[in-house]
Amino acid sequence: MRTEVAIVGAGPAGLLLSHLLARAGVESVVVESRSQEYVASRIRAGILEHSSVELLTEAGLGDRLRAEGHEHRGVYLQWPHKRHHLDFVDLAGRSVWVYGQTEVQKDLVAAHSGPVLYEVSDTRLHDLTTDRPYVTFRDRDGAAVKLEASVIAGCDGSFGPSRAAVPASARQVFERTYPYSWLGILADVAPSTDELIYAWHPDGFALHSMRSETVSRLYLQVPNGTDAAAWSDAQVWDELAKRLGHGQDGWTLAPGPITDKSVLPMRSFVQTPMRYGRLFLAGDAAHIVPPTGAKGLNLAIADVALLSRALIALVKERDAGPADRYSDDALRRVWRCTHFSWWMTTMLHASGDPFDAELQLSQLRWVTTSIAGATGLAENYAGLPI
Ligand code: DHB
């Protein structure tokens, strides 16, 4: 098989890239190790930055998002006995949208027209520093396939073969682990809040998010190594009620049937550069952020916006300039979001150290009472222009 762009991974980064390339008349083939059902049902974050919404809309993917998603002006930041609303529209002129990554994925699958080969195995990348790179794999029936391309896009997340195909001598890895995880639940209950609540609490962080008028998504900081099954539904709701301030100033948390319960690890990771010869990395294949602030999908969308333009210039106009600048350009936003996600995480999670706790409370008072502090958070949360 031969194509212009071989895309490894059919998550949001891979499918969006293929979609943007197709709109410019550039052919691609997408290969994916999982099944279409598996990829579409993975639960991920649900906040889209202003510029992600703009890009999806320009790409013809905004109809259901605008009809079924919810525009939020800001978020609540709270700690015991205090809840503050930060209005991103007033502070930074931009809103955010609540629309699950699962829904973005469904919209991408519905809009996508080119070939996507699901359930492939043994995917390997070859000859990346030549002008004839190729991917080999076994298709779902076990037949060996060689896919030749002009360039390869690695959109296959942190466990895929693309990142690992860059030799150790040609990459630098930056990493930070955190001494806590999140227990996340989905529940069939109307959200108890109009906009998201990020709650600092001495017993650990809690977040009240949502997916729709009838589905809530909530998270609790838990120790690393926690088994989700060890938490009963009643325990989860009790802990959420305590940390989110049930009963304070007349606010109540409505519990409901939990339909999913899982533990999310927290990690910061960046691999540079985001290019090796004819291989370009985008999304989680190049970087991971901890979930606080919901940057993962937004960063993948921003990478793909840049990469699609670079590959269109390369393939259609034989202009290598944007492709040569891709890694540096993408990494500026990656590091901004890596810092923001690390900062939100370390500001909001209990470490057990009373010195940390006082610094966190001081920081929270500053971002909720100083226009400068609040604007910095708002600009980063609602997202910088792509
Ligand atoms: C969600 C996840 C986040 O990490 C976050 O900061 C906000 C919302 C979510 O899953 O809805």
Side-chain angles (χ1 to χ4, degrees):
M1 278 172 104
R2 176 153 184 101
T3 187
E4 281 297 349
V5 183
I7 300 176
V8 186
L15 284 192
L16 180 60
L17 178 62
S18 176
H19 179 79
L20 294 174
L21 293 174
R23 281 166 70 89
V26 175
E27 197 186 79
S28 65
V29 172
V30 187
V31 297
E32 166 62 52
S33 63
R34 305 287 193 162
S35 68
Q36 182 169 344
E37 299 68 42
Y38 178 90
V39 179
S41 63
R42 281 188 297 208
I43 301 169
R44 292 287 186 272
I47 300 292
L48 293 174
E49 291 176 2
H50 179 81
S51 54
S52 299
V53 173
E54 273 186 340
L55 185 118
L56 292 171
T57 304
E58 279 164 24
L61 297 161
D63 293 352
R64 206 163 64 90
L65 155 58
R66 282 169 191 277
E68 295 175 22
H70 292 273
E71 188 171 17
H72 284 195
R73 291 184 66 97
V75 297
Y76 297 96
L77 280 183
Q78 74 167 49
W79 56 94
H81 312 297
K82 279 266 183 282
R83 181 177 292 175
H84 284 271
H85 186 254
L86 288 188
D87 190 309
F88 303 152
V89 179
D90 284 348
L91 290 160
R94 299 190 287 277
S95 61
V96 294
W97 283 70
V98 170
Y99 191 64
Q101 176 168 328
T102 320
E103 305 308 316
V104 174
Q105 181 72 19
K106 281 185 207 152
D107 294 343
L108 282 163
V109 168
H112 195 268
S113 52
V116 186
L117 308 178
Y118 287 95
E119 295 171 68
V120 307
S121 54
D122 200 19
T123 304
R124 292 169 204 245
L125 286 62
H126 308 267
D127 289 3
L128 299 173
T129 54
T130 73
D131 56 7
R132 297 183 65 87
Y134 62 98
V135 180
T136 56
F137 55 91
R138 292 195 175 274
D139 69 14
R140 56 150 62 105
D141 301 319
V145 181
K146 178 177 182 185
L147 172 62
E148 295 175 324
S150 302
V151 294
I152 300 175
C155 302
D156 47 346
S158 51
F159 301 111
S162 299
R163 171 196 287 177
V166 182
S169 58
R171 64 177 142 97
Q172 196 171 356
V173 166
F174 303 83
E175 210 166 358
R176 176 67 41 103
T177 55
Y178 300 87
Y180 30 74
S181 304
W182 279 10
L183 176 69
I185 62 157
L186 266 181
D188 282 337
V189 60
S192 297
T193 178
D194 57 341
E195 297 194 337
L196 274 59
I197 304 170
Y198 287 82
W200 183 98
H201 190 278
D203 295 342
F205 171 68
L207 169 60
H208 190 330
S209 183
M210 60 198 73
R211 288 292 174 273
S212 67
E213 282 97 344
T214 54
V215 176
S216 295
R217 175 83 170 141
L218 300 105
Y219 300 97
L220 283 172
Q221 174 187 345
V222 292
N224 285 344
T226 295
D227 175 8
W231 281 73
S232 71
D233 293 9
Q235 269 177 312
V236 172
W237 284 116
D238 284 351
E239 196 63 23
L240 284 166
K242 179 183 75 185
R243 297 190 196 177
L244 289 167
H246 175 84
Q248 282 167 31
D249 297 327
W251 182 80
T252 55
L253 176 68
I258 294 178
T259 57
D260 187 88
K261 203 188 284 164
S262 57
V263 171
L264 291 69
M266 317 265 288
R267 190 158 76 107
S268 295
F269 176 98
V270 181
Q271 176 168 311
T272 67
M274 288 169 63
R275 174 190 189 172
Y276 175 64
R278 293 278 178 136
L279 169 66
F280 295 83
L281 301 176
D284 285 6
H287 41 73
I288 297 290
V289 289
T292 333
K295 285 294 172 213
L297 172 60
N298 293 293
L299 211 39
I301 290 173
D303 284 353
V304 166
L306 279 179
L307 184 55
S308 61
R309 286 178 217 155
L311 297 183
I312 291 162
L314 187 69
V315 168
K316 285 184 73 174
E317 291 143 35
R318 304 277 152 212
D319 174 7
D324 290 344
R325 290 191 298 275
Y326 167 68
S327 178
D328 287 348
D329 287 353
L331 281 167
R332 272 197 292 280
R333 189 186 195 89
V334 168
W335 280 116
R336 177 88 304 281
C337 292
T338 299
H339 175 265
F340 177 69
S341 305
W342 165 87
W343 176 66
M344 286 285 280
T345 299
T346 51
M347 176 170 68
L348 288 163
H349 289 72
S351 74
D353 181 332
F355 180 77
D356 288 346
E358 292 301 332
L359 292 186
Q360 291 171 329
L361 288 167
S362 173
Q363 181 83 352
L364 282 164
R365 284 191 294 269
W366 181 62
V367 294
T368 48
T369 54
S370 148
I371 296 285
T375 305
L377 193 150
E379 276 181 357
N380 282 278
Y381 194 108
L384 301 160
I386 291 176

